[in-house]
Amino acid sequence: MPEMRMVAENSSETEFILAGLTSQPELQIPFFFLFLGFYMVTVVGNLGLITLIGLNSHLHTPMYFFLYNLSFIDFCYSTVITPKMLMSFVSKKNIISYAGCMTQLFFFLFFVISESFILSAMACDRYVAICKPLVYMATMSPQICLLLLLGVYVMGFVGAMAHTACMVRLTFCANNLVDHYMCDILPLLELSCTSTYVNELVVFIVVGIDIGVPTVTIFISYALILSSILHIHSTEGRSKAFSTCSSHIIAVSLFFGSGAFMYLKPSSLLPMNQGKVSSLFYTIVVPMLNPLIYSLRNKDVKSALKKTLSKILFS
């Protein structure tokens, strides 16, 4: 680390050096293969789910429309982060240009904010499906689904622009070693020579909205869903309703739990090493687990997979 710091201090201000996940040499290669494996599972899982939903017409419903977009978002923001992260395990200096760093920051924030809102849209979809089944197709019409999706991406764009615009106005010191495996908000703020008060204020406001609004939406949706499930008399009906929601609840808990732990605590209370571990969950683990959670626990997806594989084999 001292050598890296010395290199960083002598580097041009137009570039940053990403410190990576660990500075221990004996862990670099094992971590490289571990996270390469994670990334391969993420790519295959999400692209596989996208392809499966696209090819099977009986999966062209609101639920799978949102799941299709969730897989697209997971694939994209994992791709924004993981390849550059893998470089830190095999190169002496993992250099990223200033423009590259700001671009990575923007797209990471765009996709991660979009994910929080797509999860809340999925909660609303589950609420209508379980609590208002007779008007489900009318309520969740293609037009409504597209409007919800537009709202998801607009919120992602606005949040990413707010953070990135505030970051661009800062002046960074000669020490340009980013103590992280990616260009994230908090480690970049530590390198600023100018006041970061506005940035920290934006973090608490924007992150508060981007976690708070979806969390409240999801909480209200599931409170109403739970109330509706308790009124179902048949055990089979209750079991089916719980099964429909369980995958989404697991994904939401992992994503929002790790995100809130990282951003909604003062940096003095959260050492950066712990922050790195926390951010691993929503940047690496969640995008990998989502397609597995939704496919392994879903009869329709498993049935579509069998049909698709049998078509490919017989053709």
Side-chain angles (χ1 to χ4, degrees), residues 123-150:
C124 293
D125 172 68
R126 290 301 81 208
Y127 158 71
V128 178
I130 293 170
C131 300
K132 312 281 184 182
L134 298 178
V135 294
Y136 176 64
M137 294 310 295
T139 305
M140 300 303 293
S141 65
Q143 293 83 0
I144 295 296
C145 289
L146 285 171
L147 280 174
L148 283 171
L149 187 65
L150 178 64

Side-chain angles (χ1 to χ4, degrees), residues 195-215:
S195 172
T196 59
Y197 174 76
V198 173
N199 297 69
E200 289 171 13
L201 191 63
V202 168
V203 168
F204 274 96
I205 292 171
V206 177
V207 175
I209 292 169
D210 294 336
I211 289 181
V213 171
T215 301

Side-chain angles (χ1 to χ4, degrees), residues 59-67 125 136-137 140-141 145:
L59 296 181
H60 295 175
T61 62
M63 175 182 172
Y64 294 104
F65 171 76
F66 291 120
L67 185 54
D125 172 68
Y136 176 64
M137 294 310 295
M140 300 303 293
S141 65
C145 289

Side-chain angles (χ1 to χ4, degrees), residues 159-187:
M161 277 299 294
H163 288 300
T164 309
C166 287
M167 194 65 69
V168 168
R169 56 178 279 279
L170 297 179
T171 303
F172 295 97
C173 301
N175 181 5
N176 58 356
L177 179 69
V178 181
D179 189 15
H180 213 288
Y181 56 82
M182 65 176 179
C183 289
D184 200 359
I185 299 168
L186 301 183

Side-chain angles (χ1 to χ4, degrees), residues 34-304:
L34 175 66
F35 289 105
L36 177 62
F38 282 177
Y39 182 59
M40 289 173 69
V41 173
T42 302
V43 171
V44 172
N46 285 294
L47 290 184
L49 202 52
I50 287 169
T51 306
L52 204 62
I53 293 169
L55 291 176
N56 290 273
S57 57
H58 74 278
L59 296 181
H60 295 175
T61 62
M63 175 182 172
Y64 294 104
F65 171 76
F66 291 120
L67 185 54
Y68 181 98
N69 280 278
L70 176 68
S71 291
F72 170 73
I73 290 167
D74 280 336
F75 167 73
C76 288
Y77 93 78
S78 180
T79 300
V80 167
I81 295 159
T82 313
K84 194 64 183 170
M85 178 192 184
L86 292 172
M87 288 291 293
S88 66
F89 297 126
V90 294
S91 59
K92 290 183 180 179
K93 285 195 301 178
N94 188 19
I95 295 171
I96 186 169
S97 67
Y98 176 82
C101 188
M102 293 301 117
T103 302
Q104 187 189 52
L105 177 70
F106 173 83
F107 281 106
F108 159 64
L109 291 169
F110 172 72
F111 288 118
V112 85
I113 293 168
S114 296
E115 171 127 351
S116 69
F117 282 95
I118 199 87
L119 287 170
S120 64
M122 291 172 80
C124 293
D125 172 68
R126 290 301 81 208
Y127 158 71
V128 178
I130 293 170
C131 300
K132 312 281 184 182
L134 298 178
V135 294
Y136 176 64
M137 294 310 295
T139 305
M140 300 303 293
S141 65
Q143 293 83 0
I144 295 296
C145 289
L146 285 171
L147 280 174
L148 283 171
L149 187 65
L150 178 64
V152 165
Y153 289 127
V154 165
M155 291 303 293
F157 180 79
V158 170
M161 277 299 294
H163 288 300
T164 309
C166 287
M167 194 65 69
V168 168
R169 56 178 279 279
L170 297 179
T171 303
F172 295 97
C173 301
N175 181 5
N176 58 356
L177 179 69
V178 181
D179 189 15
H180 213 288
Y181 56 82
M182 65 176 179
C183 289
D184 200 359
I185 299 168
L186 301 183
L188 284 173
L189 292 183
E190 291 185 349
L191 304 182
S192 174
C193 297
T194 47
S195 172
T196 59
Y197 174 76
V198 173
N199 297 69
E200 289 171 13
L201 191 63
V202 168
V203 168
F204 274 96
I205 292 171
V206 177
V207 175
I209 292 169
D210 294 336
I211 289 181
V213 171
T215 301
V216 169
T217 304
I218 291 166
F219 180 80
I220 292 171
S221 297
Y222 276 108
L224 294 170
I225 287 169
L226 183 62
S227 174
S228 181
I229 288 173
L230 293 175
H231 286 90
I232 298 173
H233 297 296
S234 70
T235 308
E236 187 182 344
R238 286 186 184 184
S239 177
K240 187 177 179 181
F242 275 121
S243 177
T244 304
C245 300
S246 58
S247 299
H248 186 253
I249 292 169
I250 294 167
V252 165
S253 302
L254 281 171
F255 180 78
F256 284 104
S258 55
F261 186 74
M262 178 70 183
Y263 288 104
L264 296 182
K265 288 181 72 175
S267 56
S268 58
L269 297 179
L270 182 65
M272 191 49 66
N273 284 338
Q274 288 184 31
K276 287 182 194 180
V277 174
S278 175
S279 61
L280 278 176
F281 279 94
Y282 64 87
T283 58
I284 309 293
V285 178
V286 171
M288 179 185 69
L289 290 181
N290 277 347
L292 298 175
I293 291 168
Y294 282 101
S295 58
L296 296 176
R297 298 177 62 86
N298 189 301
K299 290 179 182 177
D300 291 335
V301 172
K302 285 191 281 189
S303 173

